[in-house]
Amino acid sequence: MTSSELWTRETADRYDAEEAGASSAAVLGPTLTFLAELAGDGRALEFAIGTGRVGVPLRERGVPVVGIELSEHMAAVLRRKTDEETLPVTVGDMATTVVPGQFSLVYLVYNTITNLLTQDEQVECFRNAARHLEPGGRFVIELGVPPLRFLPPGQVAVPFDVSERHLGFDTFDLVEQVLVSHHFTRDGDDGRYRRENSRHRYAWPAELDLMARIAGLELERRVADWDGAPFTQDSAKHISVWRKPV
């Protein structure tokens, strides 16, 4: 077990509805195209596959997908969508769990590497990806750039969503390099809000590149989004691709 916080049954059952926007064809299409092109004729392994938001439609595109997922509740939601033979899922943590075979692609999307709350565990995640990759295979991570530039002196919180039914902001521990993501969500029309929070260890692109080097991987490409826009100092996130040498 790593330091990742487990998803509860209630959270897993709500997940797809709350992330419906991120699952739309317009949003998800470029992600699937990007990953399918990297997988080629090989197999793909998704770390922290969750409810299958990406893995299920990628499998439907013809890419053989295998998943690793820490939360049994999230995996149970995925299993309602497709069977074990079509998309095998192993319950375990993404830093140490090993599944059979080698893959042309290992991927980790939606900031999920930050669920590992120590640098050592994040390094082990890179090593685990390299362990599963065939020579020439790629490891892909989607991750936000820490928004510390928005912190004026003395402030520790940054809002990321202020909408009618949701208030979201992150608070930062700059010493431990940990952020807490706070969510206040209005479920009904009675004015009440449900409060949730989760901890994450943020990391900069350069730090991830060093983790990759430790694992024997080489940076091949870094872009700002799944459409391939150039990554700049103003980019809010990055899609990074590291390659295992032949």
Side-chain angles (χ1 to χ4, degrees), residues 207-219:
E207 184 180 6
L208 298 183
D209 290 342
L210 185 56
M211 294 181 189
R213 289 181 61 187
I214 292 171
L217 304 177
E218 302 170 346
L219 180 66

Side-chain angles (χ1 to χ4, degrees), residues 30-210:
T31 305
L32 301 176
T33 298
F34 191 106
L35 295 174
E37 289 177 353
L38 288 180
D41 296 328
R43 300 194 304 156
L45 170 62
E46 181 172 356
F47 285 172
I49 194 170
T51 65
R53 181 183 69 90
V54 175
V56 170
L58 186 61
R59 180 66 185 90
E60 291 171 350
R61 286 204 177 192
V63 178
V65 177
V66 175
I68 294 174
E69 172 55 44
L70 182 61
S71 169
E72 294 184 11
H73 301 301
M74 295 288 276
V77 175
L78 181 151
R79 193 51 66 222
R80 300 170 195 165
K81 304 172 184 178
T82 187
D83 58 51
E84 176 71 15
E85 183 177 356
T86 302
L87 203 167
V89 175
T90 298
V91 174
D93 71 84
M94 57 186 164
T96 63
T97 301
V98 177
V99 298
Q102 288 191 312
F103 300 82
S104 61
L105 173 66
V106 178
Y107 65 95
L108 180 56
V109 299
Y110 223 36
N111 302 320
T112 312
I113 194 171
T114 65
N115 291 356
L116 300 171
L117 298 178
T118 70
Q119 186 183 68
D120 285 344
E121 289 174 353
Q122 291 178 353
V123 169
E124 287 306 311
C125 182
F126 272 83
R127 285 178 166 153
N128 201 29
R131 183 180 299 123
H132 286 92
L133 285 173
E134 62 188 27
R138 275 92 170 188
F139 182 35
V140 176
I141 285 182
E142 175 189 22
L143 183 60
V145 176
L148 301 189
R149 64 191 301 182
F150 297 112
L151 284 175
Q155 182 172 313
V156 296
V158 173
F160 58 85
D161 185 33
V162 180
S163 57
E164 182 180 355
R165 308 195 73 88
H166 179 255
L167 302 174
F169 62 92
D170 293 330
T171 55
F172 293 84
D173 182 333
L174 302 182
V175 174
E176 297 297 328
Q177 206 165 308
V178 170
L179 69 85
V180 180
S181 186
H182 304 265
H183 300 266
F184 294 84
T185 306
R186 191 171 70 183
D187 287 328
D189 295 322
D190 59 1
R192 296 184 180 182
Y193 281 78
R194 167 171 43 88
R195 179 178 181 177
E196 298 174 305
N197 61 69
S198 58
R199 294 184 300 156
H200 306 267
R201 183 187 185 273
Y202 62 86
W204 301 95
E207 184 180 6
L208 298 183
D209 290 342
L210 185 56

Side-chain angles (χ1 to χ4, degrees), residues 145 205 222-224 228-239:
V145 176
R222 174 168 291 130
V223 292
F231 179 74
T232 72
Q233 65 179 1
D234 296 319
S235 298
K237 73 172 185 179
H238 61 96
I239 315 297

